[in-house]
Amino acid sequence: MDFLGPVWLISFPPERTLSSFLKMYLVDSKGGAIVCMLFSLFFLGTWPAILTLLERRGRLPQHTYLDYTITNLLAAVIIAFTFGEIGNQRPNFLSQLSQDNWPSVLFAMFGGLVLSVGNLSTQYAWAFVGLSVTEVITSSMVVVIGTTVNYFLDGKINRAEILFPGVGCFLIAVCLGSVVHASNAADNKAKLTSYLNSIKDEGSKSVSKTTGDSSIIDIQKDFENGIDDKEKVKFGTADFLIELENKRAIKVFGKSTYLGLSITFFAGVCFSLFSPAFNLATNDQLHTLKKGVPHLTVYTAFFYFSVSCFVIAVILNINFLYHPLLNLPKSSFRAYLSDSNGRSWAFLAGLLCGFGNGLQFMGGQAAGYAAADAVQALPLVSTFWGILFFGEYRKSSRKTYIFLISMLFMFIAAVGILMASSGHRK
């Protein structure tokens, strides 16, 4: 009795209270949706920076993406067996797996397919166009195409007089982002030209002329692996740009700028399709389900969505190990398994992306997927990481800084306006 005594001091909540506690996790309010969007915005703006960091340290993108996709799927499984199982007002996750809901499942899986291809494409675009500009262009395409489609699919539950001015602010930010890229590219070109001219004049260093993807300077010491403080190159200098080219996995010197832009626009088209496909999967606006079959919950749809992401990513990246793109070195599955350098960071990126997408869909189901596309202002976060960790825009011209600040201001305005357009799904 002494052993059991303390147990009786514990006050258990009644069944109704416990049920209400569990239902708190089901997002069905405008306020909860906005909280989901804010967390999603941070997560989705952070994981690209992690993958960019690994590429800049020389890790093959095929290895990184295979690691990333494992934990990306794990996040969906965690969401399905937690949020998807609690509460009793909707069909839970496990019960929906046996229902005749394949039309909706196929929409969810199509969304996962195009998102996976888009994410894979941006891995290469980041190297050519830069983290900030790649995210700006792809996000703008999502807002222009995906948000407009979602607005009509959601039965116009979002306030058009607020939503579309928000889209307009986003487009202004996109134009400013393009100007920022052009101005910064001109600054970098001027730095390299001045650097090479100074070497030629001094005659103290040897310049190796190269073509294709080779480095333009033969540097003996590895900056990123650590050298004396006196020898460290500073962000934004010509030395830094050259050092980065020597270290990174994807070589960009000598490559056409249009190649990177083409990859970026292709990724943007893919990203524009995944959210409307997910919308159709959860709300069945086309009435493809049989009478009496409940709609997929956001958690079940996200599980199928992520399974599709995982399958297509594994198939493509294993193929790219043996048949790499853009003259990357060949690898193998055995080499991938033994490459543990940076694996934990890739795992973290997958979790952030998985939970970021899940939170976006949870918020979209409650307040409208058009409003949830406010998370496409993720370049705001990516630009912050790019400036803080990668030295983007360091030692640039005053004109570049003015355009950069203007772009960030318009992104902040776009986020606020799109979130203000949130409706409430009945």
Side-chain angles (χ1 to χ4, degrees), residues 196-215:
L196 294 175
N197 288 337
S198 66
I199 291 177
K200 183 178 179 180
D201 293 340
E202 295 174 5
S204 59
K205 296 181 181 179
S206 62
V207 180
S208 60
K209 296 181 180 179
T210 59
T211 58
D213 61 353
S214 300
S215 304

Side-chain angles (χ1 to χ4, degrees), residues 155-176:
K156 305 179 182 180
I157 65 174
N158 301 102
R159 299 174 61 184
E161 67 274 16
I162 299 178
L163 177 68
F164 288 107
V167 173
C169 289
F170 218 115
L171 289 176
I172 294 173
V174 168
C175 295
L176 290 170

Side-chain angles (χ1 to χ4, degrees), residues 10 68 74 101 131 258 289 304-305 369 398-399 408 422:
I10 301 175
Y68 150 89
L74 177 62
N101 47 28
L131 176 64
Y258 294 107
L289 293 175
Y304 285 115
F305 176 94
Y369 287 95
R398 182 178 179 182
K399 179 176 69 173
L408 296 178
S422 298

Side-chain angles (χ1 to χ4, degrees), residues 95-371:
S95 66
Q96 286 211 307
L97 294 181
S98 60
Q99 292 174 352
D100 186 13
N101 47 28
W102 278 104
S104 294
V105 169
L106 291 177
F107 277 120
M109 297 186 76
F110 173 76
L113 185 151
V114 292
L115 177 66
S116 185
V117 173
N119 283 340
L120 194 155
S121 301
T122 55
Q123 269 200 125
Y124 298 92
W126 292 328
F128 287 95
V129 186
L131 176 64
S132 301
V133 174
T134 300
E135 298 302 310
V136 164
I137 293 175
T138 55
S139 293
S140 69
M141 295 180 69
V142 171
V143 170
V144 174
I145 301 173
T147 300
T148 303
V149 173
N150 277 325
Y151 171 73
F152 290 101
L153 287 176
D154 283 335
K156 305 179 182 180
I157 65 174
N158 301 102
R159 299 174 61 184
E161 67 274 16
I162 299 178
L163 177 68
F164 288 107
V167 173
C169 289
F170 218 115
L171 289 176
I172 294 173
V174 168
C175 295
L176 290 170
S178 301
V179 175
V180 169
H181 171 59
S183 180
N184 192 57
D187 293 341
N188 288 339
K189 183 177 180 180
K191 294 174 191 175
L192 290 171
T193 300
S194 176
Y195 179 80
L196 294 175
N197 288 337
S198 66
I199 291 177
K200 183 178 179 180
D201 293 340
E202 295 174 5
S204 59
K205 296 181 181 179
S206 62
V207 180
S208 60
K209 296 181 180 179
T210 59
T211 58
D213 61 353
S214 300
S215 304
I216 64 171
I217 299 291
D218 182 18
I219 296 181
Q220 300 297 325
K221 295 190 177 182
D222 188 352
F223 163 61
E224 294 199 24
N225 285 337
I227 53 179
D228 293 337
D229 289 341
K230 294 181 180 179
E231 297 177 335
K232 284 185 178 180
V233 296
K234 296 181 179 180
F235 282 134
T237 63
D239 289 303
F240 172 76
L241 297 175
I242 296 168
E243 199 69 68
L244 173 61
E245 175 72 5
N246 283 331
K247 183 64 177 179
R248 72 187 321 158
I250 303 174
K251 306 299 183 183
V252 299
F253 282 3
K255 296 288 193 354
S256 171
T257 303
Y258 294 107
L259 174 62
L261 289 175
S262 299
I263 298 172
T264 303
F265 281 108
F266 173 74
V269 172
C270 293
F271 290 147
S272 300
L273 298 176
F274 83 85
S275 182
F278 195 91
N279 195 348
L280 288 167
T282 53
N283 295 297
D284 192 34
Q285 291 93 336
L286 300 182
H287 307 291
T288 57
L289 293 175
K290 294 180 180 178
K291 186 176 181 179
V293 178
H295 294 175
L296 288 184
T297 66
V298 65
Y299 312 111
T300 307
F302 185 51
F303 172 78
Y304 285 115
F305 176 94
S306 299
V307 168
S308 176
C309 270
F310 176 81
V311 171
I312 192 66
V314 169
I315 292 173
L316 290 177
N317 279 280
I318 289 180
N319 179 65
F320 292 156
L321 289 176
Y322 300 94
H323 306 284
L325 301 174
L326 303 174
N327 296 321
L328 285 167
K330 288 186 178 182
S331 184
S332 65
F333 193 72
R334 177 177 294 182
Y336 155 69
L337 292 176
S338 62
D339 181 14
S340 59
N341 184 25
R343 174 158 287 155
S344 58
W345 285 106
F347 284 158
L348 175 61
L351 287 174
L352 290 174
C353 183
F355 282 110
N357 285 328
L359 289 168
Q360 176 187 357
F361 295 142
M362 289 162 65
Q365 186 63 16
Y369 287 95

